[in-house]
Amino acid sequence: MKKLAALFAVATLAATAGIAQARDLGPDEALKLRDTGTIQTFEKLNAAALAKHSGGTINETELEEEYGRYVYQVELRDAQGVQWDLELDATNGQILKDHQDD
């Protein structure tokens, strides 16, 4: 019984830690970060994503803080109609992930 309780406690802590590592940033906080120069402008970040998939259209964007890093997430559809998910380092525009959406 003690092993089961310990296993449950460890699982709960692991789940909670995973949730705490990423948080969505609201518009006010995102604009403050942009205005202070902490992150790139949204226009530059969008342009970097579109440069990777020319002729694409951005459907959705989101700014998150993950493990102390600002990550700009972009969902876009390319010229051929394929859906892509990109993650960019919001401080410099570097593409961190680029994969086709399932």
Side-chain angles (χ1 to χ4, degrees), residues 8 23 27-28 56 70-71 97 100-101:
F8 180 73
R23 71 177 179 98
D28 292 338
Y70 296 109
V71 176
K97 291 183 183 177
Q100 190 171 341
D101 192 16

Side-chain angles (χ1 to χ4, degrees), residues 4-95:
L4 182 60
L7 182 61
F8 180 73
V10 169
T12 302
L13 285 173
T16 305
I19 292 170
Q21 295 303 323
R23 71 177 179 98
D24 295 335
L25 302 177
D28 292 338
E29 190 171 3
L31 292 173
K32 183 189 279 186
L33 291 168
R34 182 203 62 190
D35 292 345
T36 60
T38 303
I39 64 171
Q40 297 283 311
T41 65
F42 304 114
E43 292 80 11
K44 285 183 182 179
L45 294 168
N46 288 340
L50 289 171
K52 187 71 174 171
H53 297 282
S54 59
T57 304
I58 294 177
N59 298 329
E60 187 176 332
T61 62
E62 186 174 327
L63 181 64
E64 289 187 347
E65 184 179 13
E66 297 179 359
Y67 302 100
R69 178 186 229 177
Y70 296 109
V71 176
Y72 190 67
Q73 299 178 344
V74 179
E75 291 182 12
L76 64 82
R77 187 171 302 281
D78 69 15
Q80 290 75 35
V82 178
Q83 186 78 23
W84 294 88
D85 290 331
L86 286 86
E87 289 187 5
L88 295 87
D89 183 322
T91 62
N92 60 23
Q94 176 187 5
I95 295 177

